[in-house]
């Protein structure tokens, strides 16, 4: 009986081509080539569909960390003949994946097999205990092979164990990588010193020119070390960076800032970080994760304030000292601010925290390790926005709800609150929430603003794990639906089963 290895090359080529096609898909936001925008009509008119360029198709990236089961890697190692067939088709190698848990040497020529095509590169580690020297050696060989092909890259992602295994971002930003859409340099262990590492900044020489035009770049995710290395491109490089307009998301993670010292610039100060971050134009969002201070900042006269060119700002597990200093020096907030896993200190912002949307997730309260953690009170005392969402916060309880209905000089805390959303917060009662709605929706109890208007709570939604509404609560909410719309759904988190659902009728209040 004939085996698979006995199949003719022509038939195998057809099979491989079919597998390749099934591994590709249209981009997330493809151009609608069948619509004509040349007309003055409000609705575009259909036209004859245009053929899709195969290079405009993208790889399905949902399982890249299981790359051994993906095409062409699942076929490459069957036998030499199959591998030789695959090597002859450059399109098969437009996605290059390395797991540095294995020796990358046999696959380094994949950069050459792709010829002149655009490529995406994904380097990761499938183990958590690899020797540092071994991972460093393997990533260095990949980086050396990648370097001549950076101009062809649409995506470069390194997600390895050690920070010392990552390439310097200057390697990318000194090339004309105008096709680059995504640059991610991530690690799980920060093994670098907090001085700029000379070994990692050798890309910049007296004859090297930093590029600034990256029109396709919409995601820039760097470790703190890698982000601070951008200083070597020039102090004003971030202000000259031209990325995808209004679509650039910036992520910075894992860093500890050192104290500024007179006459000494070690490059890794909070001021230098803000000088790099804030000049970047047209950022859609900024996400700051695991950032902290190596010292306790002292209050001092501000030499300068910073404005953020973004519509959304996310903090995840950053230190309270970092938050205090950040809010102190930033003038004005973006439309949306989200804080997750943060202990929030008393905040003295340069201006009120006037972001419209505030999202608080897994914010701590009083615990055995933080007896007087007043995170909720600290942030809500400084906030003057309108929509508050609280997610998975055990410290969102009746005591906090009672505080929110206590007036001081005629004002409630968070006095502009109009919409409150609560999900998976089990430690408040329906009685306390009803009292909040009763007090905050009554115009007679709300102090008028400068133009005579009165801000009241107009919408409440509760979802997930939480208290059960009794008949007396639902009757009261329905009776007062003209003031506040309420949606309340209780869910069993164990299996996601909806236990109860309630919503008031939609009634428009008279002006």
């Amino acid at each position: 009986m004939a085996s698979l290895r006995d199949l003719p090359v022509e038939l195998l080529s057809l099979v491989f081509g079919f597998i390749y096609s099934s591994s590709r898909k249209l981009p997330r936001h493809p151009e609608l080539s069948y619509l004509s925008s040349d007309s003055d009509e409000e609705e575009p008119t259909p036209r004859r569909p245009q053929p899709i360029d195969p290079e405009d198709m993208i790889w399905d990236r949902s399982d890249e960390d299981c790359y051994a089961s993906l095409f062409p890697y699942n076929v490459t190692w069957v036998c030499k003949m199959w591998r030789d067939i695959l090597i002859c088709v450059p399109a098969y190698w437009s996605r290059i994946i390395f797991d540095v848990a294995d020796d990358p040497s046999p696959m380094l020529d994949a950069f050459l097999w792709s010829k002149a095509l655009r490529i995406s590169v994904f380097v990761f580690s499938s183990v958590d205990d690899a020797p540092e020297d071994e991972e460093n050696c393997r990533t260095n060989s990949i980086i050396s092979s990648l370097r001549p092909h950076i101009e062809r890259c649409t995506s470069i992602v390194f997600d390895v164990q050690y920070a010392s295994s990552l390439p310097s971002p200057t390697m990318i930003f000194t090339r004309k990588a105008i096709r680059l859409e995504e640059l991610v340099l991530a690690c799980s262990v920060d093994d670098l010193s907090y001085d700029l590492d000379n070994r990692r900044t050798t890309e910049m020489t007296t004859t090297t020119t930093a590029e600034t035009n990256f029109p396709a770049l919409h995601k820039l995710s760097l470790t703190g070390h890698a982000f601070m290395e951008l200083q070597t491109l020039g102090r004003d490089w971030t202000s000259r960076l031209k990325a995808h307009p209004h679509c650039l998301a910036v992520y910075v993670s894992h860093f500890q800032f050192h104290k500024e010292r007179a006459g000494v610039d070690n490059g890794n100060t909070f001021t230098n970080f803000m000088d790099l971050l804030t000049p970047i134009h047209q950022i859609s969002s900024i996400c700051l994760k695991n950032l902290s201070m190596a010292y306790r900042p002292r209050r001092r006269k501000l030499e300068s304030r910073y404005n953020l060119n973004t519509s959304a700002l996310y903090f995840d597990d950053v230190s309270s000292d970092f938050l205090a200093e950040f809010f102190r020096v930033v003038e004005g907030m973006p439309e949306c601010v989200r804080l997750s896993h943060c202990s929030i200190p008393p905040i003295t912002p340069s201006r009120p925290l006037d972001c419209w949307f505030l999202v608080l997730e897994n914010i701590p309260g009083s615990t055995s390790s933080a007896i007087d953690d007043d995170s909720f009170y600290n942030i809500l005392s400084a906030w003057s926005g309108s929509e508050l969402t609280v997610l998975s916060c055990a410290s969102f309880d009746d005591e906090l709800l009672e505080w929110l209905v206590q007036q001081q000089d005629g004002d409630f805390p968070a006095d502009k609150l109009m919409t409150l959303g609560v999900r998976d917060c089990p430690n408040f009662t329906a009685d306390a929430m009803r009292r909040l709605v009763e007090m905050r929706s009554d115009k007679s109890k709300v102090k008028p603003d400068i133009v005579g208007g009165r801000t009241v709570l107009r919408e409440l939604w509760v979802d997930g794990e939480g208290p059960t509404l009794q008949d007396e609560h639902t009757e009261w909410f329905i009776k007062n639906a003209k003031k506040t719309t309420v949606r309340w759904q209780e869910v069993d988190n164990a299996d996601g089963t909806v236990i109860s659902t309630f919503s008031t009728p939609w009634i428009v209040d008279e002006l």
Side-chain angles (χ1 to χ4, degrees):
M1 180 181 292
S3 67
L4 286 175
R5 298 187 183 186
D6 296 326
L7 292 175
V9 171
E10 294 79 7
L11 182 56
L12 285 171
S13 297
L14 289 173
V15 173
F16 296 160
F18 175 80
I19 299 173
Y20 166 74
S21 298
S22 65
S23 303
R24 306 271 284 176
K25 63 180 182 179
L26 284 170
R28 186 180 304 171
H29 302 295
E31 294 289 339
L32 299 179
S33 58
Y34 59 89
L35 298 180
S36 171
S37 58
D38 298 332
S39 171
D40 292 332
E41 300 175 13
E42 291 186 5
E43 295 294 329
T45 56
R47 66 183 182 187
R48 179 176 296 179
Q50 301 298 308
I52 298 174
D53 186 340
E55 259 206 279
D56 289 334
M57 302 285 285
I58 62 174
W59 292 96
D60 184 349
R61 300 182 56 183
S62 57
D63 297 314
E64 283 191 339
D65 55 350
C66 302
Y67 86 109
S69 64
L70 302 179
F71 181 83
Y73 304 94
N74 55 355
V75 178
T76 300
W77 302 109
V78 173
C79 67
K80 183 178 183 303
M81 184 181 76
W82 287 23
R83 182 181 179 186
D84 290 342
I85 296 172
L86 295 172
I87 290 174
C88 293
V89 184
Y92 295 168
W93 304 102
S94 58
R95 173 177 62 177
I96 301 175
I97 305 176
F98 293 97
D99 180 358
V100 292
D102 302 318
D103 181 8
S105 300
M107 299 298 294
L108 291 177
D109 284 342
F111 293 105
L112 302 175
W113 301 339
S114 61
K115 302 297 183 183
L117 295 180
R118 290 175 289 183
I119 56 175
S120 64
V121 180
F122 179 48
V123 181
F124 75 104
S125 177
S126 61
V127 298
D128 297 328
D129 56 353
E132 181 180 352
D133 291 345
E134 180 181 84
E135 185 182 273
N136 287 172
C137 180
R138 290 175 175 178
T139 55
N140 284 339
S141 65
I142 295 170
I143 292 167
S144 296
S145 297
L146 165 65
R147 184 178 284 107
H149 306 280
I150 289 174
E151 288 82 355
R152 297 193 287 123
C153 290
T154 59
S155 173
I156 299 175
V157 177
F158 279 72
D159 188 0
V160 294
Q161 186 173 0
Y162 300 103
S164 57
S165 297
L166 296 171
S168 169
T170 60
M171 182 184 79
I172 289 89
F173 291 125
T174 52
R175 266 70 175 182
K176 296 182 182 296
I178 61 173
R179 297 178 176 86
L180 186 65
E181 301 173 6
E182 175 185 38
L183 174 61
V184 177
L185 303 180
C187 68
S188 54
V189 177
D190 186 355
D191 61 330
L192 292 176
S193 69
Y194 283 92
D195 292 323
L196 285 178
D197 192 297
N198 292 329
R199 182 186 62 79
R200 290 165 48 81
T201 57
T202 54
E203 291 294 327
M204 289 299 296
T205 67
T206 56
T207 59
T208 304
T209 302
E211 298 292 334
T212 58
N213 188 33
F214 300 90
L217 185 63
H218 62 76
K219 182 176 182 179
L220 177 62
S221 180
L222 304 176
T223 64
H225 281 285
F227 187 80
M228 299 303 284
E229 282 182 47
L230 298 179
Q231 296 173 82
T232 62
L233 298 172
R235 289 285 182 172
D236 64 341
W237 181 82
T238 54
S239 66
R240 296 184 290 114
L241 175 64
K242 297 177 182 178
H244 196 299
H246 304 292
C247 289
L248 177 62
V250 175
Y251 303 77
V252 184
S253 63
H254 299 92
F255 199 71
Q256 190 174 61
F257 298 98
H258 279 203
K259 188 175 183 179
E260 297 181 26
R261 300 185 185 278
V264 178
D265 183 8
N266 67 1
N268 290 325
T269 65
F270 177 79
T271 298
N272 286 348
F273 170 73
M274 296 300 290
D275 287 342
L276 279 173
L277 178 66
T278 54
I280 304 176
H281 299 294
Q282 300 177 328
I283 307 177
S284 62
S285 62
I286 297 173
C287 180
L288 307 177
K289 182 176 181 179
N290 292 117
L291 303 182
S292 62
M293 306 297 229
Y295 63 100
R296 188 68 181 267
R298 294 183 179 179
R299 296 190 59 80
R300 63 187 188 283
K301 183 178 180 181
L302 292 177
E303 298 180 1
S304 60
R305 300 184 190 274
Y306 299 94
N307 288 294
L308 297 174
N309 298 307
T310 185
S311 58
L313 177 61
Y314 307 122
F315 298 96
D316 186 359
D317 196 18
V318 300
S319 74
S320 58
D321 285 338
F322 177 86
L323 280 176
E325 190 71 358
F326 189 94
F327 284 125
R328 193 173 76 90
V329 303
V330 170
E331 190 169 49
M333 285 288 112
E335 184 178 20
C336 176
V337 172
R338 179 172 184 144
L339 295 106
S340 302
H341 306 92
C342 298
S343 181
I344 306 169
I347 294 172
T348 308
S350 57
R351 290 176 53 187
L353 300 183
D354 54 357
C355 55
W356 184 274
F357 303 96
L358 176 63
V359 181
L360 303 175
E361 180 181 13
N362 281 295
I363 301 301
S366 296
T367 65
S368 58
S369 60
I371 303 219
D372 295 314
D373 192 314
D374 292 330
S375 291
F376 263 107
Y377 302 92
N378 293 334
I379 187 67
L380 295 181
S381 295
W383 180 58
S384 62
S386 297
E387 296 197 19
L388 172 64
T389 301
V390 184
L391 307 173
S392 303
C393 292
S395 53
F396 186 83
D397 55 18
D398 286 4
E399 184 178 353
L400 177 66
L401 290 175
E402 181 61 28
W403 175 75
L404 285 170
V405 300
Q406 300 301 316
Q407 291 178 303
Q408 185 174 2
D409 297 329
D411 286 329
F412 290 113
D415 62 309
K416 301 295 191 298
L417 179 64
M418 297 175 62
T419 300
L420 172 62
V422 181
R423 175 174 294 147
D424 293 330
C425 298
N427 293 332
F428 72 94
T429 64
D431 284 333
M433 186 62 78
R434 167 183 160 174
R435 173 166 164 75
L436 173 75
V437 173
E438 181 179 5
M439 295 294 291
R440 300 292 297 253
S441 64
D442 189 339
K443 291 184 178 180
S444 67
K445 293 182 171 61
V446 177
K447 184 179 178 180
D449 58 26
I450 193 171
V451 295
R454 299 173 189 266
T455 302
V456 296
L457 184 64
R458 300 305 303 264
E459 182 179 1
L460 166 70
W461 61 263
V462 178
D463 189 18
E465 185 181 6
T468 301
L469 285 180
Q470 305 298 325
D471 290 344
E472 60 182 286
H473 302 125
T474 59
E475 291 172 3
W476 188 90
F477 284 133
I478 291 173
K479 181 180 178 181
N480 291 274
K482 190 174 182 179
K483 296 179 180 179
T484 304
T485 300
V486 176
R487 293 179 289 113
W488 197 299
Q489 180 171 271
E490 186 183 359
V491 177
D492 185 347
N493 278 2
D495 57 9
T497 303
V498 176
I499 299 173
S500 63
T501 300
F502 165 78
S503 62
T504 58
W506 184 266
I507 302 175
V508 179
D509 195 2
E510 295 179 3
L511 298 177

